[in-house]
Amino acid sequence: MTSFSLSRRRVLPGFAPTLGFTLFYLSLIVLIPLAAVFLKSSGHGFDAFWAAVTSPRVVASYKLSFGASLLAAGINLVFGLILAWCIVRYEFPGKKLVDALIDLPFALPTAVAGIALTALYAPNGWVGSLFAPGGALAFLFGADGAKIAFTPVGVLLALIFIGLPFIVRTVQPVLEDMETELEEAAASLGARRWTTFRYVVLPTLLPALLTGFALAFARAVGEYGSVIFIAGNIPLVSEITPLMIISKLEQYDYVGATAIAAVMLIFSFVLLLVINGLQAWASQRGARK
């Protein structure tokens, strides 16, 4: 009897108080603020809500924010995997420095990142000047060259910059724990590199890749500081949705700001729900194999 009671003993309190504290904390920190957004956005009725969230500038900002966020997360998914693979599987000079630089977007203030990216990709910057009229690479884009900063391309680059660590840091531990003997066994059986990656490596990495993708997308959708400088904030061209919310707040249009925030919250929740569903499916599929 004593051994049975000791085996059932828990360090934390029982299920009921632990669950109660969890729900209380979750409601206080997450659910109540989110509920306040929806209540405030419906303060002036459906017509005012609909007018605020469907104006041309706001719709254009939705397309840019969500489109650029998805594209940036997809690009980071590929190159983040390659970077994590190199760090885990190879030894090279400066490896520790590269590993530390990956976390730089985490530590760097977003405003500093935005200013640095703008200075780099502006028409008179080190990289931007190469594509500006008269630059070394301008001929690739015609007589007028190409403009990176103050365009949607600049927004995309900023979102790639801040989202890369999420992919690398979620994939890296899985790669470190993966047994290379499985790849060697596949190669000894005559499997080519792509076949080995597709049927041996990818199923193991897929849940981590989807997790990193979700984290990178969620960070990119709400990013403001590192994007606002390089975006240029041109109406209907390079305005992001967080900027529209700030603009509404500066005009004391709290209902309009919360309406846009509510739509952004719904879109983000649906997309993250889909990604988490894919992650659960990938985990179950890998467990069955």
Side-chain angles (χ1 to χ4, degrees):
M1 179 66 68
T2 303
S3 61
F4 177 76
S5 61
L6 290 176
S7 64
R8 297 295 298 275
R9 183 180 179 85
R10 300 289 186 269
V11 175
L12 295 178
F15 174 75
T18 304
L19 179 62
F21 176 79
T22 301
L23 294 177
F24 171 76
Y25 187 79
L26 180 65
S27 300
L28 185 65
I29 301 300
V30 179
L31 298 181
I32 293 178
L34 295 183
V37 171
F38 289 99
L39 291 175
K40 185 67 176 180
S41 63
S42 60
H44 290 181
F46 180 77
D47 292 337
F49 174 87
W50 187 254
V53 301
T54 58
S55 66
R57 289 180 64 180
V58 174
V59 172
S61 72
Y62 292 151
K63 294 178 180 178
L64 177 60
S65 292
F66 287 100
S69 298
L70 284 172
L71 184 57
I75 294 174
N76 280 329
L77 192 67
V78 176
F79 291 98
L81 173 60
I82 296 174
L83 185 55
W85 186 278
C86 291
I87 291 175
V88 173
R89 294 297 178 89
Y90 301 105
E91 295 293 336
F92 54 90
K95 176 180 177 179
K96 293 184 178 180
L97 177 61
V98 173
D99 194 22
L101 287 176
I102 293 174
D103 294 327
L104 185 61
F106 285 152
L108 195 66
T110 56
V112 176
I115 294 173
L117 291 172
T118 304
L120 186 63
Y121 292 106
N124 57 349
W126 289 350
V127 177
S129 60
L130 298 176
F131 299 92
L137 301 177
F139 69 94
L140 298 175
F141 302 92
D144 296 331
K147 191 176 182 180
I148 299 178
F150 318 126
T151 66
V153 177
V155 175
L156 177 63
L157 289 174
L159 297 182
I160 291 174
F161 173 79
I162 58 99
L164 179 63
F166 292 97
I167 304 294
V168 177
R169 293 312 183 203
T170 53
V171 174
Q172 187 175 351
V174 181
L175 276 175
E176 291 174 348
D177 294 337
M178 185 182 298
E179 298 178 357
T180 58
E181 288 80 3
L182 297 176
E183 303 166 36
E184 296 172 355
S188 65
L189 294 173
R192 297 184 177 181
R193 293 181 179 179
W194 169 247
T195 304
T196 302
F197 175 79
R198 181 180 178 183
Y199 292 102
V200 178
V201 178
L202 186 59
T204 305
L205 294 181
L206 190 56
L209 287 171
L210 291 175
T211 300
F213 182 89
L215 293 173
F217 168 76
R219 170 67 187 276
V221 167
E223 183 62 20
Y224 179 79
S226 61
V227 178
I228 195 67
F229 295 101
I230 197 171
N233 310 322
I234 303 173
L236 302 176
V237 176
S238 59
E239 285 182 327
I240 57 175
T241 305
L243 173 64
M244 300 304 302
I245 297 174
I246 295 297
S247 299
K248 294 288 185 181
L249 291 175
E250 291 176 347
Q251 299 168 10
Y252 301 100
D253 184 7
Y254 300 114
V255 175
T258 53
I260 298 173
V263 172
M264 195 175 184
L265 176 62
I266 293 173
F267 284 168
S268 300
F269 179 78
V270 171
L271 288 172
L272 289 176
L273 188 64
V274 172
I275 294 171
N276 289 333
L278 292 173
Q279 180 185 359
W281 170 79
S283 299
Q284 294 176 359
R285 184 184 178 186
R288 287 197 299 267
K289 290 183 178 181

